[in-house]
Amino acid sequence: MGGRLIAWIDERFPLTWFIRHELTEYPTPRNLTYWWNFGFLAGFVLVLQMATGIFLAMHYKPDAGLAFDSVQHIMRDVDYGWLLRYLHSTGASAFFVVIYVHMARTLYYGSYRSPRELVWWTGQVLLLLLMATAFLGYLLPWGQMSYWGAQVITSLFEATPLIGKELVVWLRGDFVVGDATLTRFYALHFLFPFLIAAVVVIHLIALHAVKSSNPSGINLEAKDNIPFHPYYTTKDLFGLGVFLVVFCGFVFFAPDFFLEPANYEPADPMRTPEHIVPEWYFLPFYAVLRSVPDKLGGVVAMVLSILIFAFLPLLDRSRIPGGARYRPIYRAAFYLFVADVLVLGWVGSQPPEGAVIVVGEVATAVYFLLFALLPVFSKPEERWLLRRGLPPKVQELVEAEARQRAAREAARRAAEGSP
Ligand code: HEM
């Protein structure tokens, strides 16, 4: 019966071909490490967030007078409502952990470079959508930190030249964050995950066109690839098991770990919390915002600190594959960058006083300096490494690429010279 149904579908739609071609028999490098599990984990967390979100939406009330109480109702009265909420709130943090590791892996191995630029750029769109979704969702519990966080972030748009004030009112739907803001944030928070899912499909189509990179940095020959199933389905499921142990540890034993105590108080527009902090995953960018004394300058620096990742394929001019693996200067820059982001995160969590301000300014300068220095050091580093000698396969690859480039250039010149 099942076989006949599939045959019926296959005559009208390439289902079996698609599953074989893109999943089970999809050729995958045999040497992928566990760092390559995080894309799959991101997909899993996306599905988890969408599934728990839909059930939360059945009980949540997007009304400034009811929102806070409806969350308490979910926690206390709805069957397993506490579980739904803790899965969703811990899931938001888990999503960022997974995505930041996914991005760090890509940075370390330089997988953003040709031919994977579109995979990287669609990933960048996913990062922006994810940040927007998290920010919108944080208002929904209508606690003190939700309210004042939204107040601070929306007021940043005031720095926009000429239309700043009008823009803020337009975003909030009111002169202050209020009921109109809550309902529009709710509508968009519901919509954005579907956009994320659509962009994930584009991300994966782009990935399958160029195939995954691998830790050696060398494009493997067909014989060095293995089918995705059962090898990587098993590896991904094992990784998922480990992830779930840690994730469930937080959900069941420390569900408040990622939640702000001030958010257990209902929003009060007449009382500002002593210290307004965003969620941990925004802290480094928040620190960049505060480190520039001018309001507009701070907003521009913060937006740039996120968008600058998109320029990486253009900034990195080295032709040595494998990213940090074979490039000592790039490797040092990578570790310095990770340390700098952690320092920025700490700065963002502290009240902006005394030494914290200075540390924030230095860390912000280092952050941008590392991006600015990449085009400066990548070519000299490449020349130095080629002179010093690389592993034979890598050296061969770089030389073959240089020959191909020279041949293309010669062909172009010949074509231009011909009548
Ligand atoms: C909802 C979010 C995302 C999902 C579901 C997702 C999913 C995936 C999957 C399944 C893979 C293949 C397995 C792997 O290499 O880990 C992948 C690869 C990749 N992703 Fe993502 N991704 C997401 C976000 C991002 C972001 C934010 C970036 C960077 C800004 C990014 C950049 C890349 C790159 C460059 C690759 C290719 C890596 C390589 O071949 O070495 N992704 N992604």
Side-chain angles (χ1 to χ4, degrees), residues 32 35-44 46 95 99-100 102-103 105-106 109-113 116-128 130 196-197 200 203-204 207-208 210-214 228 236 309:
L32 296 187
W35 294 115
W36 267 258
N37 275 45
F38 285 82
F40 169 77
L41 287 180
F44 173 82
L46 175 64
F95 212 153
I99 284 298
Y100 287 159
H102 187 57
M103 285 179 72
R105 185 286 314 269
T106 307
Y109 289 106
S111 323
Y112 52 78
R113 291 177 6 169
R116 291 183 189 81
E117 297 95 325
L118 285 180
V119 188
W120 176 250
W121 285 328
T122 49
Q124 174 93 43
V125 174
L126 285 170
L127 177 68
L128 293 176
L130 183 63
I196 294 180
V200 167
H203 189 59
L204 293 181
L207 177 72
H208 282 208
V210 292
K211 307 281 185 281
S212 282
S213 70
N214 69 80
F228 192 83
D236 278 343
F309 286 104

Side-chain angles (χ1 to χ4, degrees), residues 245-264:
V245 169
V246 179
F247 180 70
C248 290
F250 279 104
V251 170
F252 293 107
F253 296 101
D256 292 337
F257 187 82
F258 296 109
L259 297 178
E260 186 58 44
N263 234 21
Y264 283 95

Side-chain angles (χ1 to χ4, degrees), residues 254-312:
D256 292 337
F257 187 82
F258 296 109
L259 297 178
E260 186 58 44
N263 234 21
Y264 283 95
E265 291 170 44
D268 182 354
M270 305 306 285
R271 197 165 48 88
T272 319
E274 209 176 301
H275 180 39
I276 303 176
V277 270
E279 289 289 83
W280 69 266
Y281 35 82
F282 291 134
L283 288 175
F285 309 106
Y286 187 56
V288 170
L289 168 81
R290 286 192 324 195
S291 296
V292 181
D294 172 60
K295 189 170 179 184
L296 179 61
V299 175
V300 170
M302 182 181 71
V303 172
L304 196 64
S305 67
I306 303 168
L307 294 185
I308 202 162
F309 286 104
F311 294 97
L312 271 177

Side-chain angles (χ1 to χ4, degrees), residues 93-318:
S93 280
F95 212 153
F96 278 93
V97 171
V98 167
I99 284 298
Y100 287 159
V101 175
H102 187 57
M103 285 179 72
R105 185 286 314 269
T106 307
L107 285 177
Y108 185 87
Y109 289 106
S111 323
Y112 52 78
R113 291 177 6 169
S114 175
R116 291 183 189 81
E117 297 95 325
L118 285 180
V119 188
W120 176 250
W121 285 328
T122 49
Q124 174 93 43
V125 174
L126 285 170
L127 177 68
L128 293 176
L129 284 171
L130 183 63
M131 287 180 154
T133 310
F135 168 65
L136 294 165
Y138 196 55
L139 182 67
L140 306 187
W142 206 245
Q144 269 291 68
M145 207 49 89
S146 309
Y147 182 86
W148 288 98
Q151 189 79 22
V152 169
I153 300 297
T154 49
S155 72
L156 292 179
F157 288 86
E158 238 169 56
T160 316
L162 302 176
I163 53 160
K165 281 208 164 31
E166 289 75 12
L167 185 61
V168 174
V169 175
W170 182 74
L171 284 174
R172 291 178 181 160
D174 201 340
F175 297 102
V176 287
V177 170
D179 193 59
T181 325
L182 180 61
T183 41
R184 64 187 51 198
F185 273 34
Y186 177 59
L188 293 175
H189 182 69
F190 204 119
L191 170 72
F192 275 28
F194 294 94
L195 295 184
I196 294 180
V199 181
V200 167
V201 173
I202 301 174
H203 189 59
L204 293 181
I205 294 174
L207 177 72
H208 282 208
V210 292
K211 307 281 185 281
S212 282
S213 70
N214 69 80
S216 78
I218 300 162
N219 292 331
L220 299 184
E221 292 169 25
K223 69 177 172 51
D224 293 319
N225 289 328
I226 48 175
F228 192 83
H229 180 72
Y231 300 104
Y232 285 108
T233 39
T234 317
K235 193 163 181 165
D236 278 343
L237 285 178
F238 177 73
L240 177 64
V242 175
F243 167 83
L244 284 177
V245 169
V246 179
F247 180 70
C248 290
F250 279 104
V251 170
F252 293 107
F253 296 101
D256 292 337
F257 187 82
F258 296 109
L259 297 178
E260 186 58 44
N263 234 21
Y264 283 95
E265 291 170 44
D268 182 354
M270 305 306 285
R271 197 165 48 88
T272 319
E274 209 176 301
H275 180 39
I276 303 176
V277 270
E279 289 289 83
W280 69 266
Y281 35 82
F282 291 134
L283 288 175
F285 309 106
Y286 187 56
V288 170
L289 168 81
R290 286 192 324 195
S291 296
V292 181
D294 172 60
K295 189 170 179 184
L296 179 61
V299 175
V300 170
M302 182 181 71
V303 172
L304 196 64
S305 67
I306 303 168
L307 294 185
I308 202 162
F309 286 104
F311 294 97
L312 271 177
L314 312 171
L315 296 176
D316 189 352
R317 298 171 58 227
S318 173

